[in-house]
Amino acid sequence: MRTQPTIVGVHLVFEHLGRVLLQRRAPGVAFAPGTWHVPAGHLEAESATACAVRESGDELGVQIEAQDLRLVHVLHYRGTAAGTPRMQLFFRVLAYRGTPRICAPDRHTALEWHPYAALPAPLVDYTAVALTAIAANRPYAAMGWGA
């Protein structure tokens, strides 16, 4: 059996009064244009929590500390049979400093709080799966791997 490279995505789950913070992706971005998604980024030469800390500042202009992150869900995802698998890590943000805002208007056009029971459409497909699992306290899901 051969090994297969995997891309690691780090996702931030900000919650307030039963709502989750979502960004609408700009129409011109390469991945999922015009869809809603949690703040996220790809792992670079850093730990997953360091990535989450970096992305919170880059995307939302807020400061978080690594100790204020809790891993709440892992989604093993493959969008197509030929696509590179992705391990999507979802971290709940327990505390942060600042007010979330759009810091990259070329990549995001809206920032809103949405109830788990009424998530907006269109929503990135794997984000919908992960948020549903998080609401049900399920720590792991797989998507796109077939039977």
Side-chain angles (χ1 to χ4, degrees):
M1 181 169 260
R2 65 181 174 83
T3 60
Q4 187 173 30
T6 300
I7 296 169
V8 178
V10 175
H11 301 72
L12 298 165
V13 181
F14 287 82
E15 297 170 321
H16 181 68
L17 300 175
R19 296 174 182 261
V20 62
L21 186 64
L22 299 173
Q23 298 173 312
R24 186 171 50 224
R25 299 181 56 78
V29 296
F31 172 71
T35 62
W36 291 93
H37 191 37
V38 293
H42 291 110
L43 195 63
E44 296 177 7
E46 61 199 339
S47 70
T49 54
C51 178
V53 168
R54 176 178 53 78
E55 289 294 343
S56 70
D58 291 352
E59 291 205 5
L60 301 172
V62 299
Q63 295 177 342
I64 60 175
E65 303 293 333
Q67 68 265 16
D68 292 324
L69 296 167
R70 294 296 176 271
L71 182 64
V72 291
H73 190 72
V74 175
L75 179 69
H76 197 191
Y77 175 73
R78 186 171 64 182
T80 65
T84 302
R86 295 172 181 265
M87 192 66 68
Q88 308 288 26
L89 307 177
F90 289 79
F91 288 93
R92 179 172 286 134
V93 179
L94 303 177
Y96 60 94
R97 289 183 308 283
T99 301
R101 66 184 190 283
I102 296 172
C103 291
D106 58 319
R107 292 183 292 165
H108 304 103
T109 60
L111 181 67
E112 298 176 0
W113 296 93
H114 291 272
Y116 277 96
L119 296 172
L123 184 63
V124 170
D125 60 353
Y126 75 78
T127 303
V129 169
L131 291 178
T132 299
I134 290 167
N137 293 313
R138 290 192 313 266
Y140 175 81
M143 183 179 176
W145 292 94

